[in-house]
Amino acid sequence: MLPVPDRSGSRFSASSPLVWGLSVATTVSWGILFYAFALFVTPMEGDLGWTRTEINAALSVGLLAAGLAAVPIGQWIDRRGGRGLMSAAALLGAAMLVAWSLVDQLWLFMVIWIGIGLAQAGTLYEPVFAIVTANVKDYRRAITFITFLGGLASTIFIPLTNWLIGAYGWRTALLVLAVIQFAFAFCIYAAVLKNTRGSLQETPEPSSADGDGFALSAVLRKSAFIGLFLCFVGYGFMWSAITFHVIPLLTERALGLDAIVAAIAMIGPSQVAGRFLLFFFGTNASARDIGRVVVLLPILAVAILIFVAPLGFLGLALFAIVYGLGNGMITIVRGAGVAEILGISGYGAISGAITFGNTIAKAAGPLVTAILWTTLGSYDQIQWLWLALMIASAVAFWFAAAHAERT
């Protein structure tokens, strides 16, 4: 049997330095290392003469790097805790922002985004969830609280980044963001993670076979893992496909751009609202039971997109609200559900394996959808493929929940 850390002395508290520190640091990392990118595309096109495709290719390279790094980073945290690695990742992110502010060659920009992808893998939700599940007794409420605040990342950093670029130019804006990343991610991770440990850190001989590699290889053969993996791969594909194609899809239906943008703006607040509901009203239900309901929301959202959204703004708004609620809640189900269904021991490596599949699917979603659109000539059939994919993802989660081990 693999050792399970004794977390009996660590209970969730919204006032605890660990929970607040992880919440702030993760929100900053999401806002700067992920959401801010889109605002730099246009000024970089004008200044450097690069095409939009070339600039966005760097983002895809970064996502692939983050996906490839997910498992080794999870294994490291399981064995050694997260302070050194997560602090280093936050520092790497700040350093890459400084390098980005000086870039003038495309190949170097690609290399920088590989570094940012590695920083993302060590600072965003997955490593934070690995720390929380190993150190906090009520880990699901802690994860809910962290993602509740993390949902505000785009709300804070998109306007802030836009103002910085307008006021000082994109290069200086990156330097300011690098300072914020250093102060609120690196410094906080270095401070609050001091006395935390990984889920396998108590193993007497870290190099023995009874380590994270053994835990991961054993779990890979379990039906519950296969179900979770397929569920979040399908959801990751659909999420990125809709994120990058929903506006052209709705425009293709001759809906007004102002109405589309106004409706899509409701997705962010709806994500926060979904996490709020789980934090205050979902305390008596397991993540498995919550997940059985939550995975139905993407199905409903795509159905609304097909049948109701074309009717006008109210239909668009209904889609945005349901889609946002589901997206907000499924992040929590992904964090806490993995621990409940597959156990806490080796959580970092196991979650990293799921994150790898999810990230690759996110990178593929927009490209595959674009190829299908070019082949089919419209989004009509593509929407039905999304609906079928979401049904399959929900079935996969129900399958995994049914095979859950009581740990």
Side-chain angles (χ1 to χ4, degrees):
M1 292 290 292
L2 294 170
V4 177
D6 178 11
R7 299 169 296 124
S8 58
S10 178
R11 292 182 175 274
F12 166 75
S13 171
S15 62
S16 76
L18 177 62
V19 173
W20 266 106
L22 291 175
S23 299
V24 172
T26 307
T27 299
V28 169
S29 294
W30 267 111
I32 293 176
L33 300 180
F34 188 84
Y35 289 113
F37 172 85
L39 296 166
F40 289 96
V41 174
T42 299
M44 289 179 67
E45 280 181 321
D47 191 12
L48 299 173
W50 300 343
T51 68
R52 186 159 301 190
T53 300
E54 289 171 334
I55 295 172
N56 279 277
L59 175 63
S60 297
V61 169
L63 289 175
L64 290 173
L68 292 172
V71 172
I73 284 178
Q75 291 174 328
W76 178 286
I77 292 175
D78 286 337
R79 285 183 174 278
R80 300 174 177 85
R83 188 189 186 198
L85 185 145
M86 294 174 70
S87 300
L91 184 61
L92 174 64
M96 290 299 99
L97 292 169
V98 174
W100 183 359
S101 74
L102 302 172
V103 74
D104 58 4
Q105 296 188 44
L106 184 60
W107 72 267
L108 184 57
F109 185 54
M110 297 289 180
V111 173
I112 289 169
W113 262 91
I114 292 174
I116 292 178
L118 296 176
Q120 290 175 346
T123 58
L124 301 185
Y125 283 147
E126 285 72 28
V128 170
F129 292 166
I131 290 294
V132 168
T133 54
N135 293 275
V136 181
K137 182 178 179 64
D138 305 318
Y139 59 84
R140 182 161 66 84
R141 281 177 60 78
I143 287 173
T144 305
F145 184 82
I146 290 167
T147 56
F148 173 72
L149 293 184
L152 300 175
S154 61
T155 304
I156 296 170
F157 282 95
I158 287 180
L160 173 61
T161 303
N162 187 55
W163 177 79
L164 287 171
I165 293 173
Y168 303 106
W170 67 271
R171 293 187 186 273
T172 302
L174 284 166
L175 292 175
V176 175
L177 293 177
V179 172
I180 297 173
Q181 175 72 14
F182 177 85
F184 289 94
F186 168 73
C187 293
I188 289 177
Y189 281 138
V192 303
L193 295 174
K194 184 176 181 180
N195 296 315
T196 57
R197 59 182 180 269
S199 67
L200 297 175
Q201 202 165 352
E202 296 178 349
T203 304
E205 298 180 11
S207 61
S208 69
D210 293 329
D212 48 358
F214 177 82
L216 179 58
S217 62
V219 167
L220 289 176
R221 298 190 293 269
K222 294 183 181 296
S223 298
F225 173 85
I226 295 171
L228 285 178
F229 184 86
L230 293 176
C231 171
F232 292 116
V233 164
Y235 184 77
F237 182 96
M238 189 276 295
W239 177 85
S240 66
I242 285 184
T243 297
F244 291 99
H245 286 273
V246 68
I247 291 180
L249 181 153
L250 294 171
T251 303
E252 184 178 271
R253 296 179 173 184
L255 295 168
L257 184 59
D258 290 342
I260 294 171
V261 172
I264 297 303
M266 298 181 183
I267 293 177
S270 297
Q271 290 181 158
V272 176
R275 292 164 183 170
F276 178 89
L277 290 173
L278 284 188
F279 183 77
F280 288 101
F281 302 108
T283 55
N284 295 324
S286 70
R288 293 190 300 273
D289 292 336
I290 291 173
R292 289 186 176 102
V293 176
V294 169
V295 294
L296 302 178
L297 290 178
I299 299 174
L300 179 59
V302 176
I304 293 171
L305 183 64
I306 295 173
F307 296 108
V308 182
L311 301 179
F313 178 76
L314 291 179
L316 289 173
L318 182 61
F319 159 75
I321 291 170
V322 174
Y323 177 73
L325 286 171
N327 191 45
M329 294 180 183
I330 208 164
T331 303
I332 297 166
V333 171
R334 183 177 160 201
V338 171
E340 285 192 11
I341 292 173
L342 299 174
I344 292 168
S345 185
Y347 175 95
I350 295 166
S351 178
I354 294 174
T355 299
F356 168 76
N358 177 265
T359 304
I360 299 302
K362 284 181 179 178
L367 177 61
V368 172
T369 300
I371 293 172
L372 289 172
W373 181 86
T374 301
T375 303
L376 300 172
S378 75
Y379 286 101
D380 292 342
Q381 293 171 283
I382 294 173
Q383 294 175 104
W384 289 99
L385 292 175
W386 288 347
L387 183 62
L389 184 60
M390 287 303 90
I391 293 172
S393 296
V395 170
F397 184 89
W398 279 64
F399 175 83
H403 288 80
E405 294 182 1
R406 273 47 176 181
T407 304

